[in-house]
């Protein structure tokens, strides 16, 4: 996918991030607290795993009416997204706990969410967090031919209708993880020798991927069939679960990056970006619903993507407290701090962005 070597500018503004980093580090030092998760995060982890696994136990042990089975699968989808955003996400950034083994354990929860930790770390930690919103580098803005997320992507006639169908397709995100995406990514990333940390042994990665998929399908497909559900019931439940999780995860991501107030910058002819990495994050990322405790609680602080992109090594339970520092420092350096006051305004603006990107580009 990456077509050229890309570097970020080193001028100016390293001063901005140096100042911000000093102030954020000062906050933790003055308050004598760790940057990793605390008891609040551990309680959230219990709640999210309960939402994920509690309804499954109920479905497998109690004869429920159809309408309640459907609700249970939707709750599982909510729990799947919740575990992903609150537990797996922090853990695979190394911020869930100060203990590496705890991060590895919690990060491995991705295997029961349809994913793979190696693939996720490369796509998310390396490609997305380094090359945010850069076409040809950030896979998170590459939706293939069906949705156009960037003005630098090729326009097709079907894109004029994406404002109508994009939200419907968002629900397929985790279904793709479960079926094809992980295999394609492992092949591609190993071939390109990409990794987050030590490069894995290819045989070990393929073995881990296959075992993970066997575990995943055993829990969500085989076990229900063995315990008496018809294959078609399991299929319907599987799709309800994944569609619910996919809608949630996709919307949360899109509200952070594919918005009218975020940019999609490209490097110059020498492969150099206009801004430093930290300032690039400010121009390409946006927050939403900063005052909603329920959204902040459930999304694992991903409604504060500005803070997350600048400090992914810090657990999301601290984002609310460092947000003021980030905002004030950005304004001090005359830099943007993108934010929408409510999720509904953000969704409306995302729809407008889909509409704008769906228009046929004018020929200069």
């Amino acid at each position: 996918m990456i077509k050229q070597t890309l570097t970020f500018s080193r001028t100016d503004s390293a001063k901005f991030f140096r100042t911000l980093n000093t102030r954020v580090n000062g906050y933790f030092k003055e308050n004598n607290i760790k940057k990793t998760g605390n008891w609040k995060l551990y309680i959230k982890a219990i709640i999210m795993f309960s939402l994920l696994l509690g309804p499954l136990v109920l479905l497998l042990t109690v004869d429920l009416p159809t309408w309640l089975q459907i609700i249970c699968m939707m709750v599982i989808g909510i729990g799947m997204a919740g575990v992903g955003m609150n537990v797996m996400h922090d853990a695979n950034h190394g911020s869930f706990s100060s203990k590496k083994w705890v991060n590895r354990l919690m990060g491995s929860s991705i295997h029961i969410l349809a994913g793979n930790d190696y693939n996720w770390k490369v796509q998310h930690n390396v490609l997305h967090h380094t090359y945010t919103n850069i076409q040809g580098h950030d896979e998170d803005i590459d939706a293939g031919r069906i949705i156009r997320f960037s003005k630098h992507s090729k326009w097709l006639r079907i894109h004029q209708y994406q404002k109508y169908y994009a939200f419907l397709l968002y629900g397929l995100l985790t279904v793709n993880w479960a079926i094809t995406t992980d295999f394609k990514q492992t092949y591609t990333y190993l071939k390109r020798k990409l990794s987050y940390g030590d490069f894995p042994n290819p045989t070990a990665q393929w073995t881990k991927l296959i075992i993970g998929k066997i575990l995943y399908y055993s829990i969500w497909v085989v076990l229900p069939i063995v315990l008496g559900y018809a294959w078609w019931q399991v299929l319907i439940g599987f799709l309800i679960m994944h569609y619910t999780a996919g809608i949630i995860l996709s919307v949360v991501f899109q509200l952070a990056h594919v918005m009218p107030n975020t940019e999609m910058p490209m490097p110059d002819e020498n492969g150099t970006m206009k801004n430093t990495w930290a300032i690039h994050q400010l121009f390409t990322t946006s927050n939403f619903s900063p005052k909603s405790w329920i959204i902040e609680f459930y999304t694992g602080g991903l409604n504060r993507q500005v803070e997350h992109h600048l400090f992914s090594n810090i657990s999301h339970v601290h984002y609310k407290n460092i947000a003021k520092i980030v905002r004030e420092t950005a304004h001090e350096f005359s830099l943007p701090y993108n934010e929408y006051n409510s999720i509904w305004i953000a969704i409306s603006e995302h729809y407008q962005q889909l509409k704008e990107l769906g228009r046929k580009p004018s020929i200069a």
Side-chain angles (χ1 to χ4, degrees):
M1 182 180 178
I2 295 179
K3 300 182 174 74
Q4 67 177 140
T5 302
L6 185 152
T7 57
F8 288 91
S9 169
R10 294 181 180 275
T11 58
D12 140 81
S13 35
K15 192 186 266 189
F16 158 72
F17 195 51
R18 196 181 310 123
T19 301
L20 178 61
N21 214 26
T22 299
R23 291 173 180 175
V24 169
N25 286 335
Y27 162 78
F28 285 97
K29 187 174 181 179
E30 289 168 13
N31 291 280
N32 194 30
I33 54 179
K34 294 181 178 179
K35 294 180 179 179
T36 49
N38 53 27
W39 63 271
K40 295 179 182 179
L41 179 55
Y42 306 148
I43 290 176
K44 286 178 71 175
I46 294 172
I47 292 173
M48 296 306 164
F49 274 115
S50 297
L51 287 173
L52 175 67
L53 300 176
L56 176 64
V57 173
L58 193 62
L59 285 165
L60 297 179
T61 57
V62 180
D63 185 17
L64 301 174
T66 301
W67 66 270
L68 199 49
Q69 292 176 1
I70 292 173
I71 291 176
C72 280
M73 294 311 299
M74 292 177 69
V75 173
I76 290 174
I78 292 170
M80 177 179 284
V83 170
M85 292 185 291
N86 289 274
V87 182
M88 181 279 292
H89 186 252
D90 267 28
N92 281 323
H93 273 298
S95 65
F96 185 91
S97 170
S98 58
K99 296 179 175 60
K100 291 184 178 180
W101 71 268
V102 175
N103 286 323
R104 285 195 297 270
L105 177 63
M106 294 295 101
S108 66
S109 62
I110 193 173
H111 295 287
I112 62 172
L113 305 178
N116 175 268
D117 55 347
Y118 164 70
N119 291 337
W120 191 89
K121 287 177 181 178
V122 172
Q123 179 183 342
H124 186 77
N125 292 11
V126 178
L127 300 179
H128 174 60
H129 271 268
T130 305
Y131 307 111
T132 311
N133 276 16
I134 303 176
Q135 181 68 25
H137 292 72
D138 182 1
E139 291 186 0
D140 285 7
I141 59 169
D142 180 9
R145 296 163 62 88
I146 194 68
I147 303 177
R148 186 171 184 254
F149 283 143
S150 171
K151 64 182 181 180
H152 304 293
S153 297
K154 182 179 179 181
W155 181 86
L156 301 174
R157 286 184 179 276
I158 193 173
H159 294 146
Q160 61 188 311
Y161 305 109
Q162 69 177 19
K163 60 189 176 185
Y164 302 119
Y165 64 71
F167 283 91
L168 297 175
L169 295 181
Y170 287 168
L172 302 179
L173 173 67
T174 58
V175 175
N176 289 334
W177 286 354
I179 300 173
T180 61
T181 301
D182 273 330
F183 295 98
K184 291 178 180 178
Q185 287 185 331
T186 286
Y187 174 79
T188 302
Y189 296 161
L190 290 177
K191 185 177 180 180
R192 290 171 51 193
K193 299 191 180 303
L194 296 176
S195 67
Y196 181 71
D198 296 332
F199 185 73
N201 178 286
T203 301
Q205 166 55 20
W206 279 112
T207 301
K208 185 177 182 180
L209 175 61
I210 292 170
I211 292 175
K213 292 302 180 186
I214 291 173
L215 173 64
Y216 166 77
Y217 282 111
S218 295
I219 293 173
W220 301 111
V221 177
V222 176
L223 186 58
I225 291 177
V226 169
L227 293 180
Y229 282 95
W231 68 267
W232 59 269
Q233 291 177 305
V234 174
L235 177 60
I236 292 173
F238 181 87
L239 292 176
I240 291 173
M241 171 183 74
H242 273 293
Y243 198 82
T244 302
I247 284 284
I248 295 169
L249 292 171
S250 293
V251 168
V252 168
F253 172 76
Q254 306 309 339
L255 299 190
H257 298 292
V258 185
M259 303 293 288
N261 66 353
T262 59
E263 296 185 6
M264 299 275 177
M266 294 294 285
D268 62 21
E269 62 275 7
N270 298 315
T272 301
M273 299 300 297
K274 175 183 177 181
N275 295 308
T276 61
W277 172 83
I279 290 180
H280 175 86
Q281 302 307 314
L282 293 177
F283 279 97
T284 57
T285 309
S286 183
N287 292 348
F288 64 91
S289 295
K291 296 181 180 179
S292 172
W293 73 268
I294 187 64
I295 289 179
E296 182 139 2
F297 180 88
Y298 177 65
T299 64
L302 293 182
N303 62 318
R304 296 184 185 272
Q305 287 272 1
V306 174
E307 286 70 29
H308 173 59
H309 269 255
L310 290 170
F311 297 103
S312 61
N313 63 316
I314 296 176
S315 173
H316 73 265
V317 295
H318 304 296
Y319 290 165
K320 182 178 180 179
N321 293 330
I322 67 172
K324 182 179 179 181
I325 300 172
V326 176
R327 185 189 308 108
E328 291 179 351
T329 306
H331 291 165
E332 180 182 326
F333 282 80
S334 299
L335 293 169
Y337 183 85
N338 299 319
E339 190 169 69
Y340 292 98
N341 289 330
S342 82
I343 189 172
W344 304 114
I345 293 174
I347 289 173
S348 175
E349 288 295 292
H350 175 59
Y351 171 82
Q352 293 300 323
Q353 186 71 348
L354 288 173
K355 184 177 179 180
E356 179 63 27
L357 291 169
R359 291 195 176 103
K360 184 176 181 179
S362 58
I363 300 175

